[in-house]
Coordinates of all heavy atoms in Angstrom, one line a residue:
M1 N 0.9 -1.2 0.0 CA 0.0 0.0 0.0 C 0.9 1.2 0.0 O 1.9 1.2 0.7 CB -0.9 0.0 1.2 CG -2.1 -0.9 1.1 SD -3.3 -0.5 2.4 CE -2.5 -1.2 3.9
P2 N 0.5 2.3 -0.7 CA 1.3 3.5 -0.7 C 1.3 4.2 0.7 O 0.3 4.1 1.4 CB 0.5 4.4 -1.7 CG -0.7 3.7 -2.1 CD -0.7 2.4 -1.6
K3 N 2.4 4.7 1.0 CA 2.5 5.5 2.3 C 2.3 7.0 2.0 O 2.9 7.5 1.1 CB 3.9 5.3 2.9 CG 4.0 5.8 4.3 CD 5.4 5.4 4.9 CE 5.3 4.1 5.6 NZ 6.6 3.9 6.4
V4 N 1.3 7.5 2.7 CA 0.9 8.9 2.4 C 1.2 9.8 3.6 O 1.0 9.4 4.7 CB -0.6 8.9 2.2 CG1 -1.1 10.3 1.8 CG2 -1.0 7.9 1.1
T5 N 1.7 11.0 3.3 CA 1.9 12.0 4.3 C 1.0 13.1 3.9 O 1.1 13.7 2.8 CB 3.4 12.5 4.4 OG1 4.2 11.4 4.7 CG2 3.5 13.6 5.4
V6 N 0.1 13.5 4.9 CA -0.8 14.6 4.6 C -0.5 15.7 5.6 O -0.3 15.4 6.8 CB -2.3 14.1 4.8 CG1 -3.3 15.3 4.6 CG2 -2.6 13.0 3.9
K7 N -0.5 16.9 5.2 CA -0.2 18.1 6.0 C -1.3 19.1 5.9 O -1.7 19.4 4.7 CB 1.2 18.7 5.7 CG 2.4 17.8 5.9 CD 3.6 18.5 5.5 CE 4.8 17.6 5.5 NZ 6.0 18.2 5.0
I8 N -1.6 19.7 7.0 CA -2.5 20.9 7.0 C -1.7 22.1 7.4 O -0.9 22.1 8.3 CB -3.6 20.7 8.0 CG1 -4.4 19.4 7.8 CG2 -4.6 21.9 8.0 CD1 -5.2 19.3 6.6
D9 N -1.8 23.2 6.6 CA -1.2 24.5 7.0 C -2.3 25.2 7.9 O -3.2 25.8 7.3 CB -0.8 25.3 5.8 CG -0.2 26.6 6.2 OD1 -0.3 27.0 7.3 OD2 0.5 27.2 5.3
P10 N -2.1 25.3 9.2 CA -3.1 25.9 10.0 C -3.4 27.3 9.8 O -4.5 27.9 10.0 CB -2.6 25.7 11.5 CG -1.5 24.7 11.4 CD -1.0 24.8 10.0
S11 N -2.3 28.0 9.3 CA -2.4 29.4 9.0 C -3.3 29.7 7.8 O -3.7 30.8 7.6 CB -1.1 30.1 8.9 OG -0.4 29.6 7.7
E12 N -3.4 28.7 6.9 CA -4.2 28.9 5.7 C -5.6 28.3 5.8 O -6.5 28.7 5.0 CB -3.5 28.2 4.5 CG -2.2 28.8 4.1 CD -2.4 30.2 3.5 OE1 -3.4 30.5 2.9 OE2 -1.5 31.0 3.7
C13 N -5.9 27.4 6.7 CA -7.2 26.8 6.8 C -8.2 27.8 7.3 O -8.0 28.4 8.3 CB -7.1 25.6 7.8 SG -8.7 24.8 8.0
I14 N -9.3 27.8 6.6 CA -10.4 28.7 7.0 C -11.7 28.0 7.4 O -12.8 28.5 7.5 CB -10.8 29.7 5.8 CG1 -11.2 28.9 4.6 CG2 -9.6 30.7 5.5 CD1 -11.8 29.8 3.5
L15 N -11.5 26.7 7.7 CA -12.6 25.8 8.1 C -13.8 25.7 7.2 O -14.9 25.7 7.6 CB -13.0 26.2 9.5 CG -12.1 25.9 10.7 CD1 -12.6 26.4 12.0 CD2 -11.8 24.4 10.8
A16 N -13.4 25.8 5.9 CA -14.5 25.6 4.9 C -15.1 24.2 4.9 O -16.2 24.1 4.5 CB -13.9 25.9 3.5
A17 N -14.4 23.3 5.5 CA -14.9 21.9 5.7 C -15.1 21.1 4.4 O -15.7 20.0 4.5 CB -16.1 21.9 6.6
N18 N -14.6 21.6 3.3 CA -14.7 20.8 2.1 C -14.1 19.4 2.3 O -14.6 18.4 1.9 CB -14.1 21.4 0.9 CG -14.6 22.8 0.7 OD1 -15.1 23.4 1.5 ND2 -14.5 23.3 -0.6
C19 N -12.9 19.4 2.9 CA -12.1 18.2 3.1 C -12.9 17.2 4.0 O -12.9 16.0 3.8 CB -10.8 18.5 3.7 SG -10.8 19.4 5.2
V20 N -13.5 17.8 5.0 CA -14.3 16.9 6.0 C -15.4 16.3 5.3 O -15.7 15.1 5.5 CB -14.8 17.8 7.2 CG1 -15.6 16.9 8.2 CG2 -13.6 18.5 7.9
G21 N -16.1 17.0 4.4 CA -17.2 16.4 3.6 C -16.8 15.3 2.7 O -17.5 14.3 2.5
I22 N -15.5 15.4 2.2 CA -15.0 14.4 1.2 C -14.5 13.2 2.0 O -14.7 12.0 1.6 CB -14.0 15.0 0.3 CG1 -14.7 16.0 -0.6 CG2 -13.2 14.0 -0.5 CD1 -13.7 16.9 -1.4
E23 N -13.7 13.4 3.0 CA -13.0 12.3 3.7 C -13.1 12.5 5.2 O -12.1 12.8 5.9 CB -11.6 12.1 3.2 CG -10.8 11.0 3.8 CD -11.5 9.7 4.0 OE1 -12.6 9.6 4.4 OE2 -10.8 8.7 3.6
P24 N -14.3 12.2 5.8 CA -14.4 12.5 7.3 C -13.6 11.4 8.1 O -13.5 11.6 9.3 CB -15.9 12.3 7.5 CG -16.4 11.6 6.3 CD -15.5 11.9 5.2
K25 N -13.1 10.4 7.5 CA -12.3 9.4 8.3 C -10.8 10.0 8.5 O -10.1 9.3 9.2 CB -12.2 8.1 7.6 CG -13.6 7.4 7.6 CD -13.5 6.1 6.8 CE -14.8 5.4 6.8 NZ -14.9 4.3 5.8
L26 N -10.5 11.1 7.8 CA -9.2 11.6 8.0 C -9.2 13.1 8.5 O -8.3 13.4 9.3 CB -8.4 11.6 6.6 CG -7.0 12.2 6.6 CD1 -6.1 11.4 7.6 CD2 -6.4 12.2 5.2
F27 N -10.1 13.9 8.0 CA -10.2 15.3 8.4 C -11.3 15.5 9.4 O -12.4 14.9 9.2 CB -10.5 16.1 7.1 CG -9.4 16.0 6.1 CD1 -9.6 15.1 5.0 CD2 -8.2 16.7 6.1 CE1 -8.7 15.0 4.0 CE2 -7.3 16.6 5.1 CZ -7.5 15.7 4.0
Q28 N -11.0 16.3 10.4 CA -12.0 16.5 11.4 C -11.9 18.0 11.9 O -10.8 18.5 12.0 CB -11.8 15.5 12.6 CG -12.2 16.0 14.0 CD -12.0 14.9 15.0 OE1 -12.6 13.8 14.9 NE2 -11.2 15.2 16.0
I29 N -13.1 18.6 12.2 CA -13.0 19.9 12.8 C -13.1 19.7 14.3 O -14.1 19.4 14.9 CB -14.2 20.7 12.3 CG1 -14.1 21.0 10.8 CG2 -14.3 22.1 13.1 CD1 -15.2 21.8 10.2
G30 N -11.9 19.9 14.9 CA -11.7 19.7 16.4 C -11.1 20.8 17.0 O -11.0 20.8 18.3
Q31 N -10.6 21.8 16.2 CA -9.9 23.0 16.8 C -10.8 24.2 16.3 O -11.4 24.1 15.3 CB -8.5 23.1 16.2 CG -7.6 21.9 16.5 CD -7.2 22.0 17.9 OE1 -7.0 23.0 18.5 NE2 -6.9 20.8 18.5
P32 N -10.7 25.3 17.1 CA -11.5 26.4 16.7 C -11.0 27.1 15.4 O -11.7 27.8 14.8 CB -11.3 27.4 17.9 CG -10.2 26.9 18.7 CD -10.0 25.4 18.4
S33 N -9.7 26.9 15.1 CA -9.1 27.7 14.0 C -8.7 26.9 12.8 O -8.4 27.4 11.7 CB -7.9 28.5 14.5 OG -6.9 27.6 15.0
H34 N -8.6 25.6 12.9 CA -8.2 24.8 11.7 C -8.6 23.4 11.8 O -8.9 22.9 12.9 CB -6.7 24.9 11.5 CG -5.9 24.3 12.7 ND1 -5.7 23.0 12.9 CD2 -5.4 24.9 13.8 CE1 -5.0 22.8 14.0 NE2 -4.8 24.0 14.6
V35 N -8.6 22.7 10.7 CA -9.0 21.3 10.7 C -7.8 20.5 11.2 O -6.7 20.9 11.2 CB -9.4 20.9 9.2 CG1 -8.1 20.6 8.4 CG2 -10.3 19.7 9.2
E36 N -8.1 19.2 11.7 CA -7.0 18.4 12.1 C -7.2 17.0 11.5 O -8.3 16.7 11.0 CB -7.0 18.3 13.7 CG -8.3 17.7 14.3 CD -8.4 17.9 15.8 OE1 -7.5 18.6 16.3 OE2 -9.3 17.4 16.4
L37 N -6.1 16.2 11.6 CA -6.1 14.9 11.0 C -6.4 13.8 12.1 O -5.9 14.0 13.2 CB -4.8 14.6 10.3 CG -4.4 15.6 9.2 CD1 -2.9 15.5 8.9 CD2 -5.3 15.4 8.0
I38 N -7.1 12.8 11.7 CA -7.4 11.7 12.6 C -7.0 10.4 12.0 O -7.0 10.3 10.7 CB -8.8 11.6 13.1 CG1 -9.8 11.6 11.9 CG2 -9.2 12.8 14.0 CD1 -11.3 11.4 12.3
D39 N -6.6 9.4 12.8 CA -6.3 8.1 12.2 C -7.5 7.2 12.1 O -8.6 7.6 12.4 CB -5.1 7.4 13.0 CG -5.5 7.1 14.5 OD1 -6.7 7.0 14.8 OD2 -4.6 7.0 15.3
A40 N -7.3 5.9 11.8 CA -8.4 5.0 11.5 C -9.2 4.7 12.8 O -10.3 4.3 12.7 CB -7.9 3.7 10.9
N41 N -8.6 5.0 13.9 CA -9.3 4.8 15.2 C -9.9 6.0 15.7 O -10.4 6.1 16.9 CB -8.3 4.2 16.3 CG -7.8 2.8 15.9 OD1 -8.6 2.0 15.4 ND2 -6.5 2.7 16.0
G42 N -9.8 7.1 15.0 CA -10.4 8.4 15.4 C -9.5 9.2 16.3 O -10.0 10.2 16.9
M43 N -8.3 8.7 16.5 CA -7.3 9.4 17.4 C -6.8 10.6 16.6 O -6.4 10.5 15.5 CB -6.2 8.5 17.8 CG -6.7 7.3 18.6 SD -7.4 7.8 20.2 CE -5.9 8.3 21.1
V44 N -6.7 11.8 17.3 CA -6.2 13.0 16.7 C -4.7 12.9 16.4 O -3.9 12.5 17.3 CB -6.5 14.2 17.6 CG1 -5.8 15.5 17.0 CG2 -8.0 14.4 17.8
Q45 N -4.3 13.2 15.2 CA -2.9 13.1 14.8 C -2.3 14.5 14.5 O -1.2 14.6 14.0 CB -2.7 12.2 13.6 CG -3.2 10.8 13.8 CD -2.3 10.1 14.8 OE1 -1.1 10.3 14.9 NE2 -2.9 9.2 15.6
G46 N -3.0 15.6 14.8 CA -2.5 16.9 14.6 C -2.6 17.4 13.1 O -3.6 17.0 12.4
T47 N -1.6 18.1 12.7 CA -1.6 18.7 11.3 C -0.7 18.0 10.4 O -0.5 18.4 9.2 CB -1.3 20.2 11.4 OG1 0.0 20.4 12.0 CG2 -2.4 21.0 12.2
E48 N 0.0 16.9 10.8 CA 0.8 16.2 9.9 C 0.7 14.7 10.3 O 0.9 14.3 11.4 CB 2.3 16.6 9.9 CG 3.1 15.8 9.0 CD 4.6 16.4 8.8 OE1 4.8 17.5 9.2 OE2 5.4 15.6 8.4
Y49 N 0.4 13.8 9.3 CA 0.2 12.4 9.6 C 0.7 11.6 8.4 O 0.3 11.9 7.3 CB -1.3 12.2 9.9 CG -1.7 10.8 10.2 CD1 -1.0 10.0 10.9 CD2 -3.0 10.4 9.7 CE1 -1.4 8.7 11.2 CE2 -3.4 9.1 10.0 CZ -2.6 8.2 10.7 OH -3.0 7.0 11.0
T50 N 1.4 10.5 8.7 CA 1.9 9.6 7.7 C 1.3 8.2 8.0 O 1.4 7.8 9.1 CB 3.5 9.5 7.7 OG1 4.0 10.8 7.4 CG2 3.9 8.5 6.6
F51 N 0.7 7.6 7.0 CA 0.1 6.3 7.2 C 0.0 5.6 5.8 O 0.2 6.2 4.8 CB -1.3 6.6 7.7 CG -2.2 7.4 6.9 CD1 -3.2 6.9 6.1 CD2 -2.1 8.8 6.9 CE1 -4.0 7.7 5.3 CE2 -2.9 9.6 6.1 CZ -3.8 9.1 5.3
E52 N -0.4 4.3 5.9 CA -0.6 3.5 4.7 C -2.0 3.6 4.3 O -2.9 3.5 5.1 CB -0.1 2.1 4.9 CG 1.4 1.9 5.1 CD 1.8 0.5 5.1 OE1 1.0 -0.4 5.5 OE2 3.0 0.2 4.8
A53 N -2.3 3.9 3.0 CA -3.6 4.1 2.5 C -3.9 3.2 1.3 O -3.0 3.0 0.5 CB -3.8 5.6 2.2
V54 N -5.1 2.7 1.2 CA -5.5 2.0 0.0 C -5.7 3.1 -1.1 O -5.9 4.2 -0.9 CB -6.7 1.2 0.2 CG1 -6.5 0.1 1.2 CG2 -7.9 2.0 0.6
D55 N -5.6 2.6 -2.4 CA -5.7 3.5 -3.5 C -7.0 4.4 -3.5 O -7.0 5.6 -3.8 CB -5.7 2.8 -4.8 CG -4.3 2.2 -5.1 OD1 -3.3 2.6 -4.4 OD2 -4.2 1.3 -6.0
A56 N -8.1 3.8 -3.0 CA -9.3 4.5 -3.0 C -9.3 5.7 -2.0 O -9.8 6.8 -2.3 CB -10.5 3.6 -2.6
Q57 N -8.6 5.5 -0.9 CA -8.4 6.6 0.0 C -7.5 7.7 -0.5 O -7.7 8.9 -0.3 CB -8.0 6.1 1.4 CG -8.1 7.3 2.4 CD -7.7 6.9 3.8 OE1 -6.9 6.0 4.0 NE2 -8.3 7.6 4.8
V58 N -6.4 7.2 -1.2 CA -5.5 8.2 -1.8 C -6.3 9.1 -2.8 O -6.1 10.3 -2.8 CB -4.4 7.5 -2.6 CG1 -3.5 8.5 -3.3 CG2 -3.5 6.7 -1.6
E59 N -7.2 8.5 -3.5 CA -8.0 9.3 -4.5 C -8.9 10.3 -3.7 O -9.0 11.4 -4.2 CB -8.8 8.4 -5.4 CG -8.0 7.6 -6.4 CD -8.9 6.7 -7.2 OE1 -10.1 6.8 -7.2 OE2 -8.3 5.8 -7.8
L60 N -9.4 9.9 -2.6 CA -10.3 10.8 -1.8 C -9.5 11.9 -1.3 O -9.9 13.1 -1.3 CB -10.9 10.0 -0.7 CG -12.2 9.2 -0.9 CD1 -12.6 8.5 0.4 CD2 -13.3 10.1 -1.5
I61 N -8.2 11.6 -0.8 CA -7.4 12.7 -0.3 C -7.0 13.7 -1.4 O -7.0 14.9 -1.2 CB -6.1 12.1 0.4 CG1 -6.6 11.2 1.5 CG2 -5.2 13.2 0.9 CD1 -5.4 10.3 2.0
E62 N -6.7 13.1 -2.6 CA -6.4 14.0 -3.7 C -7.6 14.9 -4.0 O -7.4 16.1 -4.3 CB -6.0 13.2 -4.9 CG -4.7 12.6 -4.8 CD -4.4 11.6 -5.9 OE1 -5.3 11.1 -6.6 OE2 -3.2 11.2 -6.1
E63 N -8.8 14.4 -3.9 CA -10.0 15.2 -4.2 C -10.1 16.3 -3.1 O -10.5 17.4 -3.4 CB -11.2 14.2 -4.1 CG -12.5 14.8 -4.7 CD -13.6 13.8 -4.6 OE1 -13.4 12.6 -4.8 OE2 -14.7 14.3 -4.4
A64 N -9.8 15.9 -1.8 CA -9.8 16.9 -0.8 C -8.8 18.0 -1.0 O -9.1 19.2 -0.8 CB -9.6 16.2 0.6
V65 N -7.6 17.6 -1.4 CA -6.6 18.6 -1.7 C -7.1 19.6 -2.7 O -7.0 20.8 -2.6 CB -5.3 18.0 -2.2 CG1 -4.3 19.0 -2.7 CG2 -4.6 17.2 -1.0
D66 N -7.7 19.1 -3.8 CA -8.2 19.9 -4.9 C -9.4 20.8 -4.5 O -9.6 21.8 -5.0 CB -8.6 19.1 -6.1 CG -7.4 18.4 -6.8 OD1 -6.2 18.9 -6.5 OD2 -7.5 17.4 -7.5
S67 N -10.1 20.3 -3.5 CA -11.3 21.0 -3.1 C -11.1 22.2 -2.1 O -11.9 23.0 -1.9 CB -12.3 20.1 -2.4 OG -11.9 19.8 -1.1
C68 N -9.9 22.2 -1.5 CA -9.6 23.2 -0.5 C -9.5 24.6 -1.1 O -8.6 24.8 -2.0 CB -8.4 22.8 0.3 SG -8.0 24.1 1.5
P69 N -10.3 25.5 -0.7 CA -10.3 26.9 -1.4 C -9.0 27.6 -1.1 O -8.6 28.6 -1.8 CB -11.5 27.6 -0.8 CG -11.8 26.9 0.5 CD -11.3 25.4 0.3
T70 N -8.3 27.3 0.0 CA -7.1 28.0 0.3 C -5.8 27.2 0.1 O -4.7 27.6 0.5 CB -7.1 28.5 1.7 OG1 -7.2 27.4 2.6 CG2 -8.3 29.5 2.0
R71 N -5.9 26.0 -0.5 CA -4.8 25.1 -0.7 C -4.0 24.8 0.6 O -2.8 24.8 0.6 CB -3.8 25.7 -1.8 CG -4.5 26.2 -3.0 CD -5.2 25.2 -3.8 NE -4.3 24.2 -4.4 CZ -4.7 23.1 -5.0 NH1 -6.0 22.8 -5.2 NH2 -3.9 22.2 -5.6
A72 N -4.8 24.6 1.7 CA -4.2 24.4 3.0 C -3.7 23.0 3.2 O -3.0 22.7 4.1 CB -5.2 24.8 4.1
I73 N -4.1 22.1 2.3 CA -3.8 20.7 2.4 C -2.7 20.3 1.4 O -2.8 20.7 0.2 CB -5.0 19.7 2.2 CG1 -6.2 20.2 2.9 CG2 -4.6 18.3 2.5 CD1 -7.5 19.5 2.5
S74 N -1.7 19.6 1.9 CA -0.7 19.0 0.9 C -0.5 17.6 1.2 O -0.8 17.1 2.3 CB 0.6 19.8 1.0 OG 1.2 19.6 2.3
M75 N -0.1 16.8 0.2 CA 0.1 15.4 0.4 C 1.3 14.9 -0.4 O 1.6 15.4 -1.5 CB -1.1 14.6 0.1 CG -1.4 14.4 -1.4 SD -2.9 13.5 -1.8 CE -2.4 11.8 -1.2
E76 N 2.0 13.9 0.1 CA 3.1 13.2 -0.6 C 2.7 11.7 -0.6 O 2.3 11.2 0.5 CB 4.4 13.5 0.1 CG 4.9 14.9 0.0 CD 6.1 15.1 0.9 OE1 6.8 14.2 1.2 OE2 6.3 16.3 1.2
V77 N 3.0 11.1 -1.7 CA 2.7 9.6 -1.7 C 4.1 8.9 -2.1 O 4.7 9.3 -3.0 CB 1.7 9.3 -2.8 CG1 1.5 7.8 -2.9 CG2 0.4 10.0 -2.6
A78 N 4.4 8.0 -1.2 CA 5.6 7.2 -1.5 C 5.2 5.7 -1.7 O 4.6 5.1 -0.8 CB 6.6 7.3 -0.3
V79 N 5.4 5.2 -2.9 CA 5.0 3.8 -3.2 C 5.9 2.8 -2.6 O 7.1 3.0 -2.7 CB 4.8 3.7 -4.7 CG1 4.3 2.3 -5.0 CG2 3.8 4.7 -5.2
Ligands
SF4_1 S1 -11.0 22.4 2.9 FE1 -9.2 23.5 3.4 S2 -9.9 25.4 4.4 FE2 -11.6 23.9 4.4 S3 -11.3 22.8 6.4 FE3 -10.2 21.6 4.8 S4 -8.1 22.4 5.0 FE4 -9.4 23.9 6.0

């Protein structure tokens, strides 16, 4: 499975929640000022998280990256 690193730039996030709507298993609104990342067990991982993802989830994360109006999400995929 590809290893994915997802990062949120808290200074850019405006809590538009597009990402939460697309992939609520990874993005969560738990802070007053920015979105945060959660793992498969719902544990908060902060604004940077590396994990193994199936291809379908990688596609969802790419969709979330593209949907963010302020480009606050970035991701790297290592196969
Ligand atoms: S889509 Fe972008 S601005 Fe909206 S909550 Fe997600 S990271 Fe923040």
Side-chain angles (χ1 to χ4, degrees):
M1 282 195 287
K3 194 174 264 190
V4 182
T5 298
V6 179
K7 295 180 189 173
I8 305 292
D9 182 343
S11 67
E12 292 295 329
C13 178
I14 57 169
L15 289 178
N18 304 24
C19 57
V20 180
I22 292 168
E23 179 46 314
K25 291 180 182 162
L26 178 64
F27 301 97
Q28 151 174 301
I29 294 178
Q31 299 287 329
S33 60
H34 61 82
V35 81
E36 61 191 9
L37 301 166
I38 54 174
D39 65 21
N41 296 315
M43 299 295 290
V44 175
Q45 299 295 325
T47 56
E48 181 172 341
Y49 177 39
T50 300
F51 57 102
E52 291 188 335
V54 297
D55 289 344
Q57 190 180 26
V58 173
E59 287 176 18
L60 277 178
I61 300 165
E62 287 171 344
E63 197 179 323
V65 169
D66 291 341
S67 79
C68 178
T70 59
R71 312 297 293 174
I73 312 167
S74 60
M75 74 179 293
E76 292 171 20
V77 181
V79 180

